[in-house]
Amino acid sequence: GDPAGMAAAAWSGYGVFAGATGVIAVLLAVFPAAALGFYTNDPALAAVALPLVAIVGFVNLVDGAQRVVANVLRAYGEAWLPTSSHLFSYVFVMVPAGWLLGVAAGLGAMGLVLAIAIASVVATVLLFARFLWLSSRPLAPAGELRAGETG
């Protein structure tokens, strides 16, 4: 029953998440070799994986953001939008983008990681747009629908 409190809690959650994963994203982008050193000392593998590690932080930041906003929407009583946006983003965006970038464009693993990033951005934008719309409206009392909504 506290729309302002819900929105404030959501923004706080976004801020904490973005701060923590933002630091990791920057560290991975700036020091990809150091992070990769935890996983392999094979120079051939490192050469292939180094550019992937450099963008994994960004991918994690965006992918995690969509998980945070999906849970915020669930707190607003939205169950189907997070599910349908994930289905759309990861089946109808990521899969074709993965083939186009990874196979058709010849980017291989980098194309697949970029497809994940694109799908995560799409999911995040869809979910965040819904959050902004919901947080600008008054909450209906528990168990009641807002005007114009159906159960």
Side-chain angles (χ1 to χ4, degrees):
D2 180 10
M6 287 178 70
W11 284 109
S12 295
Y14 298 144
V16 169
F17 174 80
T21 55
V23 168
I24 293 168
V26 169
L27 289 173
L28 287 173
V30 175
F31 305 109
L36 192 57
F38 288 111
Y39 299 99
T40 185
N41 58 5
D42 179 348
L45 178 58
V48 172
L50 195 62
L52 299 173
V53 172
I55 66 167
V56 162
F58 169 77
V59 173
N60 186 54
L61 177 65
V62 178
D63 185 53
Q66 59 89 17
R67 287 189 306 263
V68 171
V69 74
N71 285 314
V72 166
L73 289 177
R74 288 183 179 106
Y76 274 89
E78 295 279 330
W80 284 107
L81 183 71
T83 301
S84 59
S85 74
H86 288 74
L87 177 70
F88 172 76
S89 299
Y90 293 102
V91 173
F92 298 109
V93 174
M94 183 183 73
V95 171
W99 183 85
L100 286 169
L101 295 169
V103 178
L107 296 177
M110 178 62 79
L112 297 177
V113 172
L114 291 173
I116 294 168
I118 291 166
S120 295
V121 167
V122 169
T124 302
V125 168
L126 290 172
L127 294 169
F128 201 72
R130 180 66 173 172
F131 162 72
L132 291 174
W133 186 77
L134 284 174
S135 66
S136 69
R137 303 182 68 212
L139 287 177
E144 293 183 23
L145 298 175
R146 292 182 191 94
E149 294 182 340
T150 61

